[in-house]
Amino acid sequence: MGEWSFLGDFLEKVHKHSTVVGKVWLTVLFIFRMLVLGTAAESSWGDEQSDFMCDTQQPGCENVCYDKAFPISHVRFWVLQIIFVSTPSLVYMGHAMHTVRMEEKRKMKEAELEAQEKKNGGDTYYQQKCSMAEKEAKLSGWDEAGGQIILRGSLLNTYVYSILIRTAMEVAFIVGQYVLYGIFLETLYICQRAPCPHPVNCYVSRPTEKNVFIVFMLAVAVLSLFLSLAELYHLGWKKAKERCSRSYKASPSTAPGRLESAPQADRAQMYTPPPDFNQCLSSPNGKFISPFSNKMASQQNTANFVTERVHSQEDAAGEGPFIKSSYVESPEVASECAAPAFPENYFNEKRRFSKASRASSKARSDDLSV
Amino acid sequence: MDWGTLQAVLGGVNKHSTSIGKIWLTVLFIFRIMILVVAAERVWGDEQQDFVCNTLQPGCRNVCYDHFFPISHIRLWALQLIFVSTPALLVAMHVAYTRHEKKRRFRNGEKIDIEELKNEKIHIRGPLWWTYTSSIFFRIVFEAIFMYVFYYMYDGYQMPRLVKCEAWPCPNTVDCFVSRPTEKTTFTIFMLAVSGICMMLNLAELCYLVIKICMKESRKTT
């Protein structure tokens, strides 16, 4: 088993970042394939050529008959099978490590920007953070709290592809084994090949014991195949659920996804300019009245309260579990300071910016609590 | 053969490699060293025992085996892996030397950024870039040399089933039969393919490093 430590060490890391079914698959691989192969099967096939007897005195006949009967030994075939079946997981592992590194770099950049913002002041910070943090956090799928990689976006795709390739390899090797040897080993092998002078009876060493191991390894391969298919089903269902929830969120008005990619210019156009000071002075005698009249304030409060309630309900439903945004939505106020009419689905739009966003110190939808 | 030592040494180099370098290292360990240890050594295990010659002449079999297999494939692959891994040690030595120098300067009272010293990651630039690039170049050269040696020594990459031997003391041309030729051919081609992949990875890494430094230089000048 020490010889398998090279692969074992790599797969340990994969174990950490797999789904539950993936972990079961890895355990099956370690215990029922690597360990069995290393300890039991190797010794069973140890004397496969030395005890391969042919009923002939012709020198070289045994060699060539053994070579014809076993173009590649079962043990070596299973070694190659294990390696090729594990390789897609390593590719996923590479991508996961790359994601981790990108996430670390992003955090460093954020820290730098924050330091810069403190120097400069102003709200360039928000705009830059908006564009970078949203995009990258959405794609990276990294949960700081858990220290684990969350399967979403491109990482989920890599994982699914790795399982698909793994399944294909598994099937290929099972079929290959069947094509090469059939299922069971026969005790007697009749060989006709130069320099054997005529068809010669050759006898395989330990056929029953070998058959037991062949059936065992075949069963474990089929079990691994089922586990891979189960994982695919589980991930496919999860992805479909994600897609459904995304399409549900994409209500008739502005969708959050689209909003993320909207450039600065578009965003600037979305919120109406703040009302002029004169427009807010509704008093006919021209006396100064505070621009934020009681009526406006109470309307704003009501809107905020409703939004918060909706947001907490959605959180309870488990939507977007790993990117938690704590924000408060302020409704757009028309330039005439009239009470805006909120459409019914308005409160589902989480990322519309209020015109007061520049001066407001409230948490914005783009703030990510990581 | 104890490959664990090599793994320990190269593991340290892994930290300071590029991404392609890390992939190369993984391929080296899993597809070459592991295959060599777990599978290939067993295939070639009985190569002399089961090398059968159609003669009763004592010593003829020995001489014929020696004539056709001057160095066993296994030993050649082991040498290849060692030679190909050695340039990475140059990088490890350079990194160790750099760190040693920093520590020495810090101890002498010079103002060194402690955080950077503690931070393990060392960027590939300056003299380290030259060391790293030359190590990759040597890797490619060694891979190519060994691939050629295999081709030259065994007349191609296929293991023959029957070899005709005329070496003394064999009295006449004697038929000798190689043990497990098909399996050996399979593994020879497999190891050749992986060598090719490793060489491609090294070339890609070399190109990546050269392009990166060119872009950096052009950015400096503009």
Side-chain angles (χ1 to χ4, degrees), chain A residues 52-356:
Chain A
F52 184 80
M53 297 292 175
C54 286
D55 187 6
T56 181
Q57 292 278 339
Q58 172 66 40
C61 182
E62 253 179 37
N63 271 27
V64 299
C65 286
Y66 175 81
D67 185 58
K68 192 176 179 200
F70 301 107
I72 180 169
S73 166
H74 283 83
V75 175
R76 258 71 71 187
F77 188 81
W78 289 326
V79 165
L80 286 174
Q81 182 177 13
I82 290 173
I83 288 175
F84 277 97
V85 148
S86 312
T87 303
S89 307
L90 298 175
V91 172
Y92 159 71
M93 190 63 211
H95 188 173
M97 290 292 108
H98 179 75
T99 307
V100 168
R101 262 222 326 223
M102 290 293 118
E103 183 62 30
E104 282 171 6
K105 276 190 184 162
R106 184 179 74 84
K107 282 217 194 73
M108 265 172 53
K109 254 192 238 170
E110 259 178 47
E112 275 175 31
L113 276 173
E114 213 173 311
Q116 224 177 21
E117 185 264 340
K118 282 186 181 139
K119 257 197 269 174
N120 301 340
D123 73 332
T124 46
Y125 170 60
Y126 278 128
Q127 289 174 6
Q128 280 170 341
K129 206 178 179 191
C130 274
S131 55
M132 229 177 39
E134 270 177 33
K135 232 183 284 177
E136 298 197 23
K138 191 84 183 164
L139 293 173
S140 72
W142 170 252
D143 175 26
E144 170 104 2
Q148 269 228 316
I149 292 186
I150 309 305
L151 285 176
R152 62 191 301 147
S154 62
L155 200 61
L156 180 62
N157 287 341
T158 309
Y159 195 69
V160 170
Y161 289 143
S162 79
I163 297 177
L164 279 170
I165 295 173
R166 189 212 287 173
T167 312
M169 290 281 179
E170 200 81 77
V171 169
F173 272 93
I174 292 174
V175 168
Q177 187 174 337
Y178 179 76
V179 164
L180 272 174
Y181 299 113
I183 299 181
F184 292 109
L185 267 182
E186 299 293 315
T187 315
L188 171 68
Y189 177 76
I190 297 174
C191 162
Q192 181 159 31
R193 205 191 208 191
C196 303
H198 50 85
V200 158
N201 287 350
C202 291
Y203 303 93
V204 174
S205 136
R206 307 178 202 248
T208 314
E209 194 173 352
K210 287 183 175 157
N211 280 332
V212 167
F213 278 106
I214 287 170
V215 168
F216 178 85
M217 294 298 273
L218 211 56
V220 174
V222 168
L223 172 68
S224 293
L225 187 65
F226 276 131
L227 284 170
S228 298
L229 290 170
E231 199 170 2
L232 270 175
Y233 171 76
H234 168 70
L235 286 169
W237 181 74
K238 192 167 143 188
K239 220 180 177 183
K241 205 174 95 171
E242 212 176 278
R243 214 170 275 157
C244 279
S245 66
R246 224 183 284 153
S247 63
Y248 169 72
K249 271 194 215 165
S251 33
S253 31
T254 339
R258 273 190 279 142
L259 200 74
E260 272 173 325
S261 52
Q264 298 288 334
D266 287 354
R267 219 178 281 138
Q269 287 168 16
M270 267 175 182
Y271 54 84
T272 54
D276 285 344
F277 184 71
N278 293 328
Q279 287 175 329
C280 286
L281 293 178
S282 53
S283 167
N285 54 11
K287 268 196 211 150
F288 173 80
I289 290 173
S290 163
F292 300 103
S293 64
N294 285 338
K295 193 177 175 202
M296 265 175 68
S298 66
Q299 275 169 3
Q300 190 149 346
N301 281 340
T302 319
N304 291 349
F305 177 71
V306 173
T307 313
E308 273 169 344
R309 206 175 52 196
V310 169
H311 178 54
S312 66
Q313 274 173 7
E314 284 206 36
D315 258 356
E319 289 292 312
F322 298 109
I323 295 180
K324 296 190 183 78
S325 343
S326 57
Y327 66 89
V328 166
E329 210 178 289
S330 357
E332 281 188 18
V333 180
S335 53
E336 296 86 39
C337 299
F342 300 116
E344 267 195 26
N345 53 8
Y346 177 82
F347 293 115
N348 285 334
E349 296 162 12
K350 295 194 170 183
R351 297 177 195 265
R352 290 188 64 174
F353 296 94
S354 86
K355 62 177 168 66

Side-chain angles (χ1 to χ4, degrees), chain A residues 42 49 63 67 76 193 195, chain B residues 46 50 161 177 182-183:
Chain A
E42 290 270 9
Q49 191 175 15
N63 271 27
D67 185 58
R76 258 71 71 187
R193 205 191 208 191
Chain B
D46 55 5
D50 285 332
R161 199 162 72 222
F177 300 92
T182 314
E183 205 167 353

Side-chain angles (χ1 to χ4, degrees), chain A residues 10-18 26 89-90 92-93:
Chain A
F10 284 106
L11 290 178
E12 288 282 348
K13 291 186 202 145
V14 181
H15 198 262
K16 236 177 43 166
H17 303 295
S18 298
L26 273 165
S89 307
L90 298 175
Y92 159 71
M93 190 63 211

Side-chain angles (χ1 to χ4, degrees), chain A residues 3-4 6-7 10 42 48-49 58-60 63 66-67 71 73 76 79 83-84 87 90 101 193 195, chain B residues 3 7 19 22 30-31 34-35 37-38 42-43 46 50 52 54 161 177-183 187:
Chain A
E3 301 153 346
W4 288 96
F6 293 120
L7 187 60
F10 284 106
E42 290 270 9
E48 53 176 334
Q49 191 175 15
Q58 172 66 40
N63 271 27
Y66 175 81
D67 185 58
S73 166
R76 258 71 71 187
V79 165
I83 288 175
F84 277 97
T87 303
L90 298 175
R101 262 222 326 223
R193 205 191 208 191
Chain B
W3 294 101
Q7 188 186 25
S19 309
K22 291 184 178 143
I30 293 181
F31 289 96
M34 216 186 88
I35 289 276
V37 169
V38 173
R42 289 198 176 68
V43 177
D46 55 5
D50 285 332
V52 172
N54 189 3
R161 199 162 72 222
F177 300 92
V178 176
S179 135
R180 307 179 203 247
T182 314
E183 205 167 353
F187 276 97

Side-chain angles (χ1 to χ4, degrees), chain B residues 78-135:
Chain B
L79 279 174
Q80 182 179 11
L81 288 169
I82 289 170
F83 271 91
V84 153
S85 313
T86 306
L89 296 178
L90 283 174
V91 177
M93 286 196 297
H94 190 143
V95 167
Y97 172 74
T98 313
R99 236 187 244 135
H100 181 76
E101 277 293 299
K102 276 193 184 157
K103 272 192 205 154
R104 196 176 59 82
R105 278 191 278 151
F106 181 67
R107 256 188 242 124
N108 289 350
E110 242 185 74
K111 241 193 169 183
I112 300 276
D113 187 8
I114 306 171
E115 288 308 309
E116 204 193 314
L117 195 71
K118 283 188 193 156
N119 186 12
E120 296 268 323
K121 174 122 177 110
I122 291 180
H123 292 280
I124 302 172
R125 43 177 94 106
L128 186 62
W129 184 89
W130 284 103
T131 311
Y132 196 79
T133 315
S134 47
S135 81

